Amino acid sequence: MATKTPAEIIATFQAGYTFTGSSIALGAAIVDGAVHPEAQIGLPLAMMNRHGLVAGATGTGKTVTLHMMAEQLSTAGVPVFMADIKGDLSGLATAGEGSDKLTARTQALGQQWESKAFPVEFLALGGAGNGVPVRATLTSFGPILLARVLGLNETQESSLQLVFHYADTKSLELYDLKDLRAVIQFLTSDEGKADLEELGGLSKATAGVILRNLITLDAQGMSEFFGMPEFDTAELLRTAPDGRGVISCLELPSVQDKPLLFSTFLMWMLADLFRDLPEVGDADKPKLVFFFDEAHLLFNGASKAFLNAITQTVRLIRSKGVGIFFVTQTPKDVPGDILAQLANRVQHALRAFTPDDAKALKATVSTFPVSDYELEEVLTSAGIGEAVVTVMNENGAPTPVALTRMRAPGSLMGPSTDAAVKAVIAASALLPTYGTAVDPVSAYEKLQAPAAAPTPATGPAVGTPLPPPPPVALPTPKNDGGGVASEVMGALGGALGGGVKSMIRSMGSQLGRSLMRDMFGTAPRKRR
């Protein structure tokens, strides 16, 4: 420890973690190897939309920490979204089982432990697994996110954007993979040759590459994740009849071998929420807390434009009342621009077995404020269920860094039984809406039988010339103030090019906000 006495350090924690508003309790401080229940460590509920990071090596207790935080958020009436990588979080739906060991631990923390079950909604990507199916239409998913799933380079991504532009212009709805394949096959056919030439930047060879990647994606069984009815992300904001927040738990074991797909799907959910939610400003509690597990998968190999769009989404979505907690092994897994926005930190133990581990440890220590602990030693010696914590207090300043023995969940620490999970799913109010896939008339049917299914009057018929693109080189107004509008321009300028950035500058803030909804290439659409 540093120069302060244990009593002085405890007093520092008591002052630093005393809040006027509601908070969630994380645990009790550890000083000189002893747990001090008089020094309770918590996190202000009003500061949870300032985002956070839960990190630590495998097996150090991250999942139990998420479990415990989700319970308290639900109790406070805050909906929660969680991705269940290993299936352990399904235990939230089952009351926990007491034991002498658990009683001894909770009493030492000053925790009044109570066995409880919580309102849980089980979701599954495309219905692959146990849960209400979560699907997205390709129109909603957009070309930028789809290009990441397909592994396209920047040139191919730009070409895919042209295909989406063509489909939008011709009112060819892209609901599933066969719709997009049908559009590309039409453009590369003799019948669509003229339309392909009009697109300009789309070559037949590049269209062929995208088509082959789509066929591969379909062959890998990923077609079930795209289609109708599309999941409305507003369903994540529900509360139970007793006022507790619903915990939406997205099961992912069945897609563990498709990490890029599920990480990009989670980003689609955030982008969709960002587009649809109104501004709320400062509030007593968030509208939703979104736990983004295995966060490193989102950033690995991401293009600069994609990272820029993520950064802007994270920065701006907090004004919509949504808090995001990234969950990964070390802070270095998260890009610096995003890490700088994560005000709340829960860092479980790290291991330093290799030179790379030692480097990661030093980098982690450097992200914390000045501490009364020797953090390099603490982070390598912390036990399971212990973490180094610092959060944002109600005045927007970091709290003292505290080694914390984390509280125990009241629900089952481990998976619920299959019977219990299936009973929850069968009783779900969402199942009648999303349980059965539908295949309405869309691009595939229109291109297969255009005479039988004419294109609606909202767009020109296939084969007619494309309308000229809107002018983008408009003059820049003199007053180019900061705030949300400048954030919008920065994001879109990076993701979509300088011409679009100039166009946004020339438009009012209301239109700028409308365009912001398409940061990831997503678009408003009919959901069901």
Side-chain angles (χ1 to χ4, degrees), residues 76-388:
V78 178
V80 177
F81 173 85
M82 312 180 79
D84 192 3
I85 303 294
K86 296 172 288 187
D88 293 342
L89 294 173
S90 64
L92 284 157
T94 303
E97 299 174 355
S99 68
D100 292 342
K101 183 178 180 180
L102 179 63
T103 300
R105 178 187 175 93
T106 55
Q107 286 181 348
L109 294 174
Q111 176 185 357
Q112 298 297 315
W113 186 83
E114 183 181 356
S115 175
K116 284 184 180 180
F118 289 81
V120 179
E121 187 73 65
F122 291 108
L123 308 174
L125 280 187
N130 290 322
V132 175
V134 174
R135 305 179 187 88
T137 64
L138 286 182
T139 293
S140 163
F141 208 70
I144 297 175
L145 293 177
L146 182 61
R148 181 157 172 78
V149 174
L150 293 173
L152 304 182
N153 60 34
E154 291 186 7
T155 299
Q156 293 160 350
E157 179 184 311
S158 297
S159 296
L160 185 61
Q161 292 185 54
L162 289 175
V163 174
F164 271 72
H165 165 69
Y166 174 81
D168 291 342
T169 304
K170 302 296 184 181
S171 294
L172 297 171
E173 298 86 354
L174 302 178
Y175 291 152
D176 51 28
L177 293 184
K178 76 176 187 302
D179 288 326
L180 184 56
R181 289 203 313 269
V183 171
I184 296 175
Q185 286 169 344
F186 171 79
L187 288 171
T188 54
S189 68
D190 290 340
E191 186 182 357
K193 184 178 179 180
D195 286 4
L196 181 67
E197 291 176 354
E198 284 188 51
L199 284 175
L202 177 63
S203 69
K204 189 170 184 177
T206 301
V209 170
I210 297 172
L211 183 60
R212 288 193 295 273
N213 285 6
L214 283 171
I215 293 171
T216 301
L217 195 70
D218 196 2
Q220 292 173 347
M222 297 192 193
S223 59
E224 60 193 359
F225 305 119
F226 300 100
M228 294 283 280
E230 182 173 68
F231 186 78
D232 188 341
T233 53
E235 310 283 13
L236 303 179
L237 304 175
R238 294 177 301 132
T239 56
D242 61 5
R244 290 185 296 173
V246 172
I247 302 172
S248 298
C249 189
L250 180 66
E251 185 189 73
L252 290 174
S254 58
V255 292
Q256 282 195 56
D257 58 341
K258 306 176 182 70
L260 196 60
L261 174 70
F262 81 70
S263 65
T264 310
F265 243 93
L266 297 188
M267 197 64 238
W268 166 74
M269 286 183 163
L270 276 180
D272 196 67
L273 284 166
F274 178 81
R275 184 181 56 245
D276 291 348
L277 289 176
E279 299 276 339
V280 297
D282 293 330
D284 294 337
K285 61 184 181 182
K287 296 178 70 171
L288 172 72
V289 173
F290 194 106
F291 289 98
F292 208 125
D293 208 353
E294 300 292 337
H296 65 283
L297 297 171
L298 181 66
F299 306 116
N300 287 348
S303 67
K304 184 177 179 180
F306 187 75
L307 287 176
N308 185 54
I310 295 172
T311 302
Q312 300 304 328
T313 300
V314 171
R315 180 176 295 157
L316 298 175
I317 201 170
R318 68 187 181 196
S319 68
K320 307 289 186 88
V322 176
I324 305 170
F325 278 70
F326 291 99
V327 185
T328 188
Q329 293 206 0
T330 71
K332 73 179 183 65
D333 293 335
V334 180
D337 287 346
I338 295 175
L339 189 64
Q341 301 178 52
L342 310 183
N344 304 302
R345 305 287 181 89
V346 179
Q347 177 68 60
H348 286 267
L350 292 172
R351 308 303 179 212
F353 299 132
T354 69
D356 285 344
D357 291 341
K359 185 177 180 180
L361 175 62
K362 289 184 180 295
T364 299
V365 170
S366 69
T367 65
F368 281 89
V370 175
S371 166
D372 290 313
Y373 297 93
E374 294 293 338
L375 284 182
E376 286 193 30
E377 178 183 344
V378 167
L379 285 174
T380 53
S381 61
I384 297 173
E386 297 176 353
V388 173

Side-chain angles (χ1 to χ4, degrees), residues 25-55:
L26 298 177
I30 301 173
V31 180
D32 275 356
V35 178
H36 292 268
E38 70 274 23
Q40 290 292 311
I41 306 303
L43 199 169
L45 208 55
M47 293 294 110
M48 292 200 75
N49 68 335
R50 299 306 198 271
H51 309 322
L53 176 74
V54 179

